[in-house]
Amino acid sequence: MTLLIKDEYPEKLFREDGKRLDGRDLFELRPIKMEVGVIDNADGSAYIEWGNNKIYAAVYGPREVHPHHLAKPDRGILRVFYRMSTFSVFERKRPAPGRREKEISMIIGECLEPVLFLELYPGTSFEVFIQVIDADGGTRCASTTVASLALADAGIPMRSLVTAVAVGKIDGKLIVDLSGIEDKAGEADLPCAMTWFNNEFSLLQFDGDMTLEEYNECLDLATEALKKIYDLQKDALKRKYIDIQERISQQNEKNNQERGEE
Ligand code: UDP
């Protein structure tokens, strides 16, 4: 469980055996599971479990813009609503969206926008609703990753998926994929997102202290980690269609058997 009270932070973020507090090596990702098509009433949806983070994303669009004055005559708009549930963190979160949620919504929107063809959808909106059920560091990255899957699941034309991960520094060492406690008690945190159609970072949000060499090393570490997460995203998308294919084959087999019995 993430500790939020500064006095309660552990003095060291590494164990005696050199591993991180959750047993990971320096550049090891937390376990990540993703699934698409999890919400029937959305145009597209996805779910991610990333370490202790649990997050849903639901997508609607293209659809009419409400309120109307937000509509743009020459292009569509992307609206992202990142929300943390009151019960998602150790200290109850106030239900009304705070400044942090508004900022993260904006950041996720800026990460995702380059992959969408908004110019092809004048006067419409695409809406992404992200609900954090359980949070333990890196929720903006996990949310960006799962939101991009939900957009793909909605069948919205995209230049590529978007993948995000945070890298950083704790007790003088560079690490990949900060947990909540590492994020809070560490020296630096660098959430990064990558758009794969041009292999460019669409997010670099630095917080803390590190040298330029360390920063450059962090970008290399992030790139390696992002490739692994990208593979998991592609697997999650493929799995949905493999499951559909299997269900159709089973149904066809059943139909054939029934016909044979008649
Ligand atoms: N957090 C919390 N209460 C809050 C906001 C955040 O306990 O009101 C925790 C949560 O675990 C979150 C972590 O602090 O994942 C780091 O938050 P940050 O703002 O750095 O965003 P994130 O790392 O989740 O993108």
Side-chain angles (χ1 to χ4, degrees):
M1 178 60 66
T2 312
L3 300 177
L4 292 174
I5 304 159
K6 186 79 187 162
D7 295 346
E8 291 183 16
Y9 292 165
E11 269 179 33
K12 289 186 180 152
L13 292 169
F14 286 103
R15 305 187 320 200
E16 297 269 297
D17 61 3
K19 303 256 187 199
R20 292 154 70 178
L21 293 181
D22 57 12
R24 280 185 291 157
D25 291 325
L26 294 177
F27 307 149
E28 191 177 338
L29 289 163
R30 289 173 283 182
I32 301 176
K33 280 196 285 184
M34 305 183 213
E35 198 182 337
V36 296
V38 290
I39 300 170
D40 286 344
N41 291 320
D43 294 340
S45 60
Y47 173 67
I48 192 164
E49 276 182 28
W50 183 324
N52 297 327
N53 293 311
K54 295 190 182 72
I55 306 172
Y56 282 95
V59 166
Y60 297 88
R63 68 177 179 182
E64 205 180 333
V65 185
H66 291 289
H68 286 301
H69 70 85
L70 293 178
K72 297 215 166 121
D74 57 339
R75 62 201 295 272
I77 59 166
L78 172 66
R79 303 180 74 199
V80 176
F81 303 89
Y82 162 100
R83 298 286 182 265
M84 271 179 125
S85 307
T86 50
F87 51 80
S88 66
V89 283
F90 182 64
E91 213 168 64
R92 179 185 178 274
K93 195 210 138 280
R94 288 162 71 104
R99 226 181 52 184
R100 175 180 171 277
E101 281 159 304
K102 287 181 191 155
E103 183 211 321
I104 294 181
S105 301
M106 189 192 78
I107 287 163
I108 296 173
E110 285 175 3
C111 290
L112 297 172
E113 218 175 290
V115 302
L116 297 176
F117 296 88
L118 292 178
E119 64 281 9
L120 300 182
Y121 300 90
T124 68
S125 74
F126 295 90
E127 290 176 337
V128 181
F129 295 91
I130 296 164
Q131 194 66 42
V132 178
I133 305 298
D134 235 330
D136 186 21
T139 59
R140 75 196 61 206
C141 294
S143 296
T144 304
T145 303
V146 74
S148 117
L149 266 188
L151 285 164
D153 182 50
I156 293 166
M158 293 164 77
R159 293 184 174 90
S160 73
L161 289 169
V162 185
T163 312
V165 74
V167 287
K169 188 173 163 184
I170 56 168
D171 292 358
K173 291 193 173 129
L174 299 186
I175 56 158
V176 168
D177 185 20
L178 286 76
S179 66
I181 193 66
E182 291 171 336
D183 178 307
K184 296 248 176 293
E187 288 132 74
D189 174 27
L190 174 62
C192 311
M194 175 79 76
T195 50
W196 296 104
F197 72 96
N198 55 3
N199 290 330
E200 284 187 5
F201 287 108
S202 63
L203 169 73
L204 285 172
Q205 205 188 6
F206 187 73
D207 180 21
D209 286 312
M210 64 171 65
T211 64
L212 187 59
E213 287 78 42
E214 286 173 331
Y215 176 77
N216 285 329
E217 202 181 323
C218 269
L219 294 187
D220 290 341
L221 290 171
T223 306
E224 282 314 301
L226 286 165
K227 283 182 195 157
K228 290 182 196 154
I229 305 162
Y230 181 37
D231 283 342
L232 297 176
Q233 283 173 296
K234 287 185 282 186
D235 284 349
L237 273 176
K238 280 186 209 150
R239 217 176 315 119
K240 173 176 170 178
Y241 293 99
I242 291 169
D243 286 352
I244 292 174
Q245 218 169 11
E246 276 173 6
R247 275 208 301 277
I248 292 172
S249 309
Q250 280 167 3
Q251 190 58 46
N252 284 346
E253 224 168 274
K254 205 170 143 208
N255 291 347
N256 287 342
Q257 267 174 8
E258 281 170 4
R259 266 192 226 113
E261 282 165 15
E262 276 168 15

